[in-house]
């Protein structure tokens, strides 16, 4: 899908995409963890681009299929729901490859459509297995299923789904992997013990999706400028927006929106007390806060009130992975954004 305004450059989110494509290339599965509105879906849009895949995978891109599994599309959180979405998404993606186009079209007519007329969970699973097996072995493709917005599904899907996903991967070892985008760390969503074999496949490979660095934030701002026909004029406005937001895309977007009413150069735009009183900014902070686990919320509030000198090592690690805490120097840390810091301080 083309953007209004400039496309992201191939450098966008390089620090995340480089390890991610390394995993995809070596058919290793992984989790990507990013808090609410941290740009996960945006990153996924980007990595689905052909030129991006070409850039990271080189020649292999022609023989690699990234299959987007958007959980907003699932019909129900059940075995049927996941296998049907898997099969549909696989055939849709395959249909875009010249080499697989005919196979995908025939399979949609011969397998998928009759299956949708008479839903049958076992058939959906077997068709999915057979289709994957065919594309891997006969056509020699590598497949990576990429799950977005997966938190609720990860909590609720029956354990059997994860056992089957593991078995499908084992049957196509070296050719199939899973990439799972989550807001929260997997063990906070579901006890590893009830889906051990799937969990262990991904849990060693964990990539954090933190706030944007200055370069990525500038790309985002340029895009917002073009989309809203509102162009930043003063040289330090971008840096100020980056600094107060801490690079969180949702906050950056909310702050940019204020420029409609508040002229650049107005000192309010760097006054965190004023900013936090603006509804869209407060709303972004609320969304970010609510995307966290209860334990993280508690730890962060304790942290900003100086009630803890040390967070538990697990908590500390999790907050660093999400980029919500940033190292100040070797021993001290701060909340990534002055606005979010103040939001936490003001919570009742
Ligand atoms: N580079 C960008 N350019 C323009 N808009 C952006 C950019 N990055 C993020 N956004 C906007 O910021 C918001 C949050 O991004 P996104 O939806 O990708 O986050 P998310 O991590 O998927 O959120 P959630 O946890 O709710 O699924 C969206 O409205 C998105 O369009
Ligand atoms: Mg999303």
């Amino acid at each position: 899908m083309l953007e209004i305004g400039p496309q992201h450059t191939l450098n966008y989110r390089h620090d995340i995409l480089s390890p991610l494509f390394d995993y995809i290339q070596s058919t290793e599965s992984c989790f990507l963890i990013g808090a609410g509105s941290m740009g996960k879906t945006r990153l996924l849009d980007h990595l689905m681009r052909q030129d991006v895949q070409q850039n990271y995978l080189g020649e292999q891109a022609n023989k690699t299929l990234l299959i987007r599994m958007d959980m907003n599309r699932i019909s129900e959180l059940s075995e049927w729901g996941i296998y049907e979405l898997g099969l549909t998404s696989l055939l849709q993606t395959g249909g875009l490859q010249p080499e697989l186009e005919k196979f995908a079209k025939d399979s949609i007519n011969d397998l998928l459509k009759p299956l949708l007329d008479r839903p049958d969970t076992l058939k959906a699973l077997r068709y999915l297995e057979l289709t994957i097996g065919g594309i891997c072995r006969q056509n020699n493709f590598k497949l990576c299923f990429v799950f977005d917005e997966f938190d609720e599904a990860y909590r609720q899907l029956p354990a059997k789904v994860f056992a089957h996903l593991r078995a499908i991967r084992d049957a196509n070892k070296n050719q199939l992997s899973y990439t799972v985008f989550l807001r929260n760390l997997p063990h906070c969503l579901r006890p590893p013990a009830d889906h051990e074999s799937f969990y262990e496949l991904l849990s060693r490979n964990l990539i954090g999706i933190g706030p944007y660095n200055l370069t990525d934030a500038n790309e985002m701002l340029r895009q917002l400028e073009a989309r809203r026909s509102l162009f930043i004029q003063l040289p330090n406005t971008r840096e100020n927006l980056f600094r107060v937001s801490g690079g969180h895309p949702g906050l950056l977007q909310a702050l940019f929106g204020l420029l409609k009413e508040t002229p650049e150069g107005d000192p309010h735009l760097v006054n965190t007390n004023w900013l936090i009183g603006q509804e869209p900014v407060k709303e972004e902070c609320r969304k970010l806060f609510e995307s966290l686990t209860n334990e993280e919320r508690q730890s962060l509030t304790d942290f900003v009130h100086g009630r803890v000198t040390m967070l538990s090592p697990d908590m500390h690690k999790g907050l660093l992975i999400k980029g919500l805490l940033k190292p100040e120097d070797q021993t001290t840390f701060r909340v990534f954004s002055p606005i979010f810091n103040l939001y936490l301080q003001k919570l009742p």
Side-chain angles (χ1 to χ4, degrees):
M1 197 173 55
L2 281 180
E3 293 283 353
I4 301 173
Q7 296 289 302
H8 287 307
T9 64
L10 290 175
N11 257 334
Y12 172 72
R13 289 289 209 183
H14 177 74
D15 43 346
I16 296 169
L17 289 177
S18 172
L20 174 58
F21 275 105
D22 282 349
Y23 286 139
I24 293 174
Q25 198 144 24
S26 54
T27 46
E28 283 186 68
S29 300
C30 67
F31 285 118
L32 284 109
I33 314 293
S37 292
M38 205 56 102
K40 298 180 290 299
T41 301
R42 173 64 62 149
L43 177 67
L44 188 44
D45 290 342
H46 181 71
L47 72 89
M48 293 307 293
R49 268 173 40 184
Q50 204 53 45
D51 58 337
V52 173
Q53 296 179 14
Q54 205 86 44
N55 180 51
Y56 283 96
L57 297 172
E59 292 260 290
Q60 271 203 31
N62 302 327
K63 281 287 189 179
T64 306
L65 278 192
L66 269 59
I67 302 125
R68 184 177 192 151
M69 295 280 283
D70 181 353
M71 287 304 121
N72 291 323
R73 287 182 71 200
I74 200 165
S75 60
E76 54 184 56
L77 286 178
S78 64
E79 283 196 85
W80 160 256
I82 199 90
Y83 307 144
E84 180 273 314
L85 181 63
L87 187 60
T88 301
S89 308
L90 175 59
L91 293 175
Q92 280 177 326
T93 314
L96 302 173
Q97 286 277 337
E99 196 184 328
L100 298 174
E101 198 182 339
K102 183 170 180 324
F103 168 76
K105 208 169 148 197
D106 290 348
S107 303
I108 288 174
N109 284 324
D110 302 344
L111 296 184
L112 184 61
K113 284 185 179 163
L115 181 65
L116 293 175
D117 287 337
R118 290 174 147 262
D120 178 322
T121 301
L122 180 62
K123 277 190 182 165
L125 171 62
R126 296 301 179 229
Y127 289 166
L128 179 64
E129 287 174 338
L130 290 171
T131 311
I132 290 175
I135 295 177
C136 287
R137 273 186 294 280
Q138 280 148 35
N139 303 87
N140 206 22
F141 270 82
K142 274 189 184 173
L143 305 182
C144 178
F145 284 87
V146 187
F147 297 82
D148 192 21
E149 316 276 346
F150 200 65
D151 290 61
E152 212 35 51
Y154 197 38
R155 269 200 198 98
Q156 288 192 32
L157 281 169
K160 253 200 261 177
V161 164
F162 298 102
H164 286 311
L165 290 179
R166 170 71 199 231
I168 293 174
R169 177 267 179 191
D170 289 348
N172 299 279
K173 211 171 165 194
N174 301 326
Q175 281 184 280
L176 183 122
S177 61
Y178 302 115
T179 292
V180 177
F181 282 71
L182 293 172
R183 282 177 157 191
N184 284 300
L185 288 162
H187 67 266
C188 300
L189 296 168
R190 184 174 189 121
D194 93 334
H195 64 303
E196 193 69 48
S197 65
F198 179 83
Y199 178 79
E200 68 167 28
L201 201 59
L202 291 85
S203 59
R204 260 172 297 126
N205 304 331
L206 210 132
I207 303 176
I209 302 182
Y212 284 145
N213 59 29
L214 180 60
T215 315
D216 290 337
N218 275 330
E219 276 203 29
M220 169 166 182
L221 288 173
R222 286 212 184 82
Q223 201 161 79
L224 292 177
E225 289 175 66
R227 216 195 300 161
R228 311 230 181 128
S229 295
L230 180 71
F231 295 93
I232 291 175
Q233 305 294 333
L234 298 179
N236 58 359
T237 300
R238 286 197 182 87
E239 262 177 54
N240 286 337
L241 292 177
F242 174 67
R243 191 174 49 76
V244 287
S245 67
H248 179 263
L251 273 173
L252 261 177
Q253 187 162 252
L255 291 168
F256 181 83
L258 299 179
L259 295 176
K260 238 187 332 186
E261 308 280 323
T262 319
E264 281 180 67
D266 187 321
H268 281 122
L269 289 173
V270 287
N271 177 341
T272 42
N273 256 311
W274 181 81
L275 289 168
I276 199 71
Q278 306 308 301
E279 214 34 63
V281 177
K282 205 192 297 175
E283 175 60 12
E284 272 309 321
C285 289
R286 189 192 60 75
K287 278 193 339 209
L288 174 55
F289 188 70
E290 299 214 326
S291 79
L292 308 177
T293 63
N294 289 336
E295 293 74 19
E296 284 171 334
R297 294 180 202 174
Q298 190 59 51
S299 300
L300 276 174
T301 1
D302 286 345
F303 178 81
V304 298
H305 285 293
R307 287 196 290 259
V308 283
T309 44
M310 291 265 286
L311 297 169
S312 75
D314 252 13
M315 177 60 63
H316 193 232
K317 192 173 142 216
L319 292 172
L320 283 174
I321 285 172
K322 289 185 176 180
L324 298 176
L325 283 186
K326 295 267 172 195
E328 196 114 77
D329 52 46
Q330 290 209 323
T331 52
T332 51
F333 295 85
R334 64 175 169 83
V335 173
F336 79 101
S337 147
I339 296 185
F340 193 56
N341 189 68
L342 189 61
Y343 175 85
L344 294 168
Q345 282 175 345
K346 282 181 182 269
L347 281 172

